[in-house]
Amino acid sequence: MKRLTKFGARTSKPTRMYVKAVFTGYRRSQRKQHENQALLRIDGVTSRVETEFYLGKRCVFVYKARRKTQIPGTSKTNKMRAIWGRIAKSHGKSGAVRARFRRNLPGDAMGKRIRVMLYPSRI
């Protein structure tokens, strides 16, 4: 698909600097649930060995709020908000990871998209 830009036709799509993931739930045991640790399922990751690349990467839950707030550094307002976190550890043997967010993710975010950024790099 060709897209027109200011400088002419472009044949490739814009690059995405994140990997898609799904918030599957909180870390829990039979009787307890730890809301400060979220379990994420990253697309294309199916084993514990593959999760090592993502350890320490930043992740963000982007959502739309009811009221507009001012964007930091500008005078514009927007309804979009974000909760930032970091991938801390792998969870289990099937490719899930644990993430800690600055504010705990809300319960209605379960099943929703999380962006796992490809920075900071450890290579």
Side-chain angles (χ1 to χ4, degrees):
M1 180 170 130
K2 292 196 177 208
R3 296 177 180 210
L4 291 177
T5 63
K6 191 164 68 171
F7 303 107
R10 181 172 63 183
T11 56
S12 65
K13 291 184 178 179
T15 56
R16 184 166 32 96
M17 289 302 295
Y18 63 90
V19 177
K20 296 176 185 177
V22 176
F23 172 43
T24 56
Y26 302 109
R27 185 173 78 97
R28 57 183 290 259
S29 62
Q30 188 176 7
R31 293 177 184 87
K32 228 189 224 183
Q33 157 171 300
H34 303 275
E35 289 91 2
N36 61 342
Q37 294 185 16
L39 300 180
L40 306 180
R41 168 78 56 195
I42 302 171
D43 287 1
V45 178
T46 56
S47 70
R48 175 170 261 181
V49 176
E50 294 172 4
T51 62
E52 291 177 8
F53 171 78
Y54 295 99
L55 299 182
K57 299 279 191 268
R58 305 277 313 269
C59 49
V60 62
F61 172 59
V62 179
Y63 64 100
K64 189 179 272 193
R66 224 176 260 150
R67 289 182 173 68
K68 290 185 176 183
T69 57
Q70 187 175 355
I71 301 170
T74 65
S75 61
K76 297 179 182 178
T77 58
N78 199 341
K79 286 187 177 183
M80 301 306 288
R81 310 265 172 88
I83 302 175
W84 285 89
R86 191 176 295 272
I87 294 182
K89 192 175 183 180
S90 62
H91 180 83
K93 294 186 179 180
S94 61
V97 294
R98 293 182 204 170
R100 290 177 181 266
F101 286 84
R102 287 186 183 157
R103 287 184 289 139
N104 297 342
L105 291 181
D108 61 351
M110 283 189 205
K112 302 269 175 66
R113 280 279 179 215
I114 305 284
R115 296 178 182 182
V116 177
M117 302 300 176
L118 296 177
Y119 56 82
S121 176
R122 296 187 307 138
I123 298 175

